[in-house]
Amino acid sequence: MAMESTAPKTTMQRFLDGVEKVGNMVPHPVVIFLILIGIVIVLSAVLGLFGTQVSYERINPETHKIEIASTAIRSLLNAEGIRFIYSSLVPNFMAFTAVGLMIAAMIGAGVAEESGLVTALIRKLVIISPPAALTYILAFVAITASIAADAGYLVLIPLAGIAYLAVGRNPMAGLALGFAGVAGAFTVNMLIKPLDAVLVEFTNDAARLVDPARTIGLASNVWFSVASVVVLTITIAFITDRIVGPRLGPYDATKAAEGTTTDQAALLSESESRGLRFAGFGLLGLIVVFLLLTVPSGAPLRNPTTGELIGNSPFMNGLIALIMLIFLTSGWCYGIGAGTVRTLTDVIAAIEKSIKGLGGTIFLFFILSQFVAYFTYTNMGTVMALSLAGLLQSANIGALPLLLGFIVVVAIIDLLLTGAIAKWAIFAPVFVPLLMKLGVEPEAVLAAYRIGDSPMNMITPLNAYFAMVVGLMQKYDRNAGVGTLVALMLPYLAGMFVVWTALFVVWKTLGLPWGL
């Protein structure tokens, strides 16, 4: 058993311990969302009875012109609402894309994990990397994993826990680090990703309300995004090494859930090394295939109309398939080389095992999908967002304070509406024209939105993967709960929000270019 840390706890550590104790009194996530569903149903009926609504300007997606619209609270207890509850049960679940992404990713990840590739890769990374650099490497990879959309949640976070365990550090800190990088910095990357295309399109529609000739490009925030990745990598690593890691202390393997492997060999065996070589050959072959499908002019995975590859293209829209194939191919090739997965039957068995382990998560997603659908149907989130936006818009303050207030409002709303696209569709027509009239370029407004949209993803239970991370933590500490995760993520939330906002203020004050 690992020795317990005898160093006295700081005030911050005692505060986080208190948050964890209180948070762990929270019921099971399924129970929480059942309660929330009941609250939404009752509240929608009360607000609908009083005719609660809000009027606002919006951009018509078909005509791209501004129009006056109103959104009213819709009751779930009238005839129409009851019909929706009854008839949408299965459609709500089928439309919850997180389920499909999770299963698709686990098809490949299951083979990679069962064959031993994941463990071997992490141990290889540990062997060749200086221990002091491992935290920074994992933080950087976690942030840039958003290029694969939600696949970063499913692949990188558990890998970070395994990596920490491999070097004798507390795997809970690794999971927290991974979650902070993937969720807390989701809107920035070193590369252009599909989300950028959608956000830029809404920004341009809003900018044309002031200047019909004003547009921004797909890479309009690329320099700020690159700088954000670097700064946030350092911030996440610092918080992990100086706050989260010391608070957790040495890992006690006796806390692990039954069946969790906590022993890691220090060196790779000959068969494992051979497996990694085979995995490399398999990955190289897959890369060649995808180069043929993407690089040539008129390649199948390019946009058939514009020919673009990065942005709105089959390649980017189906990136989860590439992630799945990378792990499936490299995992199978590793298994052949290492002798752990030899036949197609073995591969199928590995996939079945990984998907069987998702039973609890899939049930949670079923309940969560109903809550999200009911909350969206009632329009309560939209009314709240527009009301807060109206208050901020009417405040007679300068451009920079208004931008900072905008960041805060977006962050608050993100606790309820986690979708980056849905929120920007509401906020862009209000704040882009408003700030342009104050001399603020639309690129700056979009950059501010990126900051407000991401950090809160780490602590809101409405994040579709919040419960999944709780489940991953319970593998290493069977007593972990919602409070454990929230307590671990609060230092990241505070640190990332302050540092990222400070970077924005400096960037704006110095007049640095936001992108290309």
Side-chain angles (χ1 to χ4, degrees):
M1 181 183 297
M3 294 292 292
E4 293 291 337
S5 176
T6 57
K9 293 186 177 182
T10 64
T11 302
M12 174 61 71
Q13 290 172 341
R14 290 194 298 271
F15 167 74
L16 294 177
D17 287 343
V19 171
E20 178 176 351
K21 290 179 181 178
V22 173
N24 284 340
M25 298 177 185
V26 176
H28 190 282
V30 169
V31 177
I32 293 175
F33 281 105
L34 288 174
I35 294 173
L36 289 176
I37 286 173
I39 293 174
V40 167
I41 291 174
V42 173
L43 194 58
S44 71
V46 174
L47 295 177
L49 185 64
F50 287 97
T52 305
Q53 65 177 5
V54 61
S55 298
Y56 62 99
E57 294 180 343
R58 72 172 184 179
I59 298 173
N60 189 306
E62 296 180 357
T63 64
H64 296 278
K65 295 181 179 180
I66 193 169
E67 63 182 19
I68 303 298
S70 62
T71 297
I73 299 294
R74 303 170 68 186
S75 173
L76 283 165
L77 286 182
N78 58 20
E80 184 180 357
I82 292 173
R83 283 194 292 267
F84 174 79
I85 293 175
Y86 178 77
S87 62
S88 67
L89 190 69
V90 173
N92 291 342
F93 182 58
M94 297 301 292
F96 202 61
T97 56
V99 178
L101 285 169
M102 178 181 63
I103 293 176
M106 289 306 297
I107 289 175
V111 175
E113 182 176 0
E114 189 66 17
S115 67
L117 171 63
V118 173
T119 302
L121 271 177
I122 295 299
R123 284 164 50 206
K124 184 68 174 179
L125 176 64
V126 170
I127 291 171
I128 66 175
S129 301
L134 182 62
T135 301
Y136 292 87
I137 293 172
L138 289 174
F140 175 80
V141 174
I143 295 174
T144 55
S146 64
I147 191 66
D150 290 357
Y153 285 98
L154 305 169
V155 177
L156 192 282
I157 295 175
L159 293 188
I162 296 174
Y164 260 47
L165 185 62
V167 295
R169 300 179 67 177
N170 197 313
M172 300 280 282
L175 293 176
L177 178 155
F179 192 34
V182 174
F186 188 78
T187 52
V188 292
N189 206 291
M190 288 288 189
L191 302 172
I192 305 299
K193 56 184 183 178
L195 175 65
D196 295 317
V198 180
L199 297 181
V200 166
E201 181 179 355
F202 279 117
T203 305
N204 283 332
D205 285 341
R208 293 190 189 102
L209 298 175
V210 176
D211 182 358
R214 184 70 165 94
T215 60
I216 64 175
L218 193 60
S220 57
N221 274 171
V222 67
W223 300 137
F224 181 71
S225 290
V226 170
S228 297
V229 170
V230 174
V231 171
L232 293 178
T233 295
I234 297 172
T235 302
I236 292 172
F238 178 85
I239 293 172
T240 303
D241 288 340
R242 299 298 181 89
I243 299 177
V244 174
R247 173 176 174 262
L248 289 171
Y251 179 55
D252 184 355
T254 61
K255 294 182 178 180
E258 186 177 353
T260 300
T261 301
T262 58
D263 295 326
Q264 302 288 332
L267 300 175
L268 295 176
S269 65
E270 182 179 348
S271 62
E272 289 173 325
S273 298
R274 183 172 61 251
L276 287 178
R277 290 195 298 271
F278 276 48
F281 295 146
L283 180 59
L284 180 61
L286 184 64
I287 291 174
V288 171
V289 170
F290 269 84
L291 287 175
L292 294 175
L293 293 174
T294 56
V295 173
S297 177
L301 296 185
R302 287 182 173 271
N303 188 303
T305 302
T306 64
E308 67 177 327
L309 179 62
I310 304 299
N312 183 21
S313 68
F315 174 71
M316 296 302 294
N317 293 336
L319 204 55
I320 188 66
L322 175 59
I323 300 299
M324 180 189 72
L325 289 173
I326 287 175
F327 282 92
L328 179 62
T329 302
S330 57
W332 192 354
C333 290
Y334 174 88
I336 293 174
T340 55
V341 176
R342 299 180 181 274
T343 67
L344 181 59
T345 301
D346 294 335
V347 173
I348 295 173
I351 295 173
E352 290 177 344
K353 181 178 179 181
S354 65
I355 294 180
K356 285 179 182 177
L358 298 176
T361 303
I362 291 176
F363 174 62
L364 174 62
F365 280 3
F366 176 79
I367 301 299
L368 179 57
S369 67
Q370 308 308 317
F371 170 76
V372 172
Y374 298 164
F375 191 74
T376 302
Y377 175 87
T378 63
N379 291 328
M380 285 196 293
T382 302
V383 170
M384 291 175 61
L386 291 170
S387 299
L388 283 174
L391 290 175
L392 191 55
Q393 182 180 7
S394 62
N396 186 21
I397 55 179
L400 185 56
L402 186 56
L403 279 168
L404 296 178
F406 172 61
I407 292 173
V408 173
V409 169
V410 173
I412 294 173
I413 294 300
D414 193 53
L415 288 170
L416 300 173
L417 297 176
T418 58
I421 295 174
K423 288 196 301 295
W424 192 228
I426 295 173
F427 282 123
V430 175
F431 287 100
V432 172
L434 169 66
L435 288 163
M436 284 181 65
K437 293 176 182 178
L438 296 176
V440 179
E441 60 273 40
E443 294 91 336
V445 188
L446 179 56
Y449 177 74
R450 295 179 189 275
I451 298 173
D453 178 70
S454 293
M456 287 296 185
N457 293 333
M458 296 182 286
I459 64 169
T460 173
L462 295 186
N463 183 334
Y465 298 99
F466 185 89
M468 183 198 76
V469 179
V470 174
L472 290 172
M473 288 188 166
Q474 288 173 343
K475 291 177 57 179
Y476 300 108
D477 184 352
R478 56 183 175 273
N479 297 319
V482 172
T484 305
L485 179 55
V486 172
L488 288 178
M489 303 318 297
L490 281 177
Y492 293 107
L493 172 63
M496 292 174 67
F497 196 83
V498 170
V499 171
W500 204 355
T501 302
L503 174 65
F504 176 84
V505 171
V506 171
W507 204 282
K508 175 63 180 170
T509 302
L510 296 179
L512 299 176
W514 300 99
L516 298 176

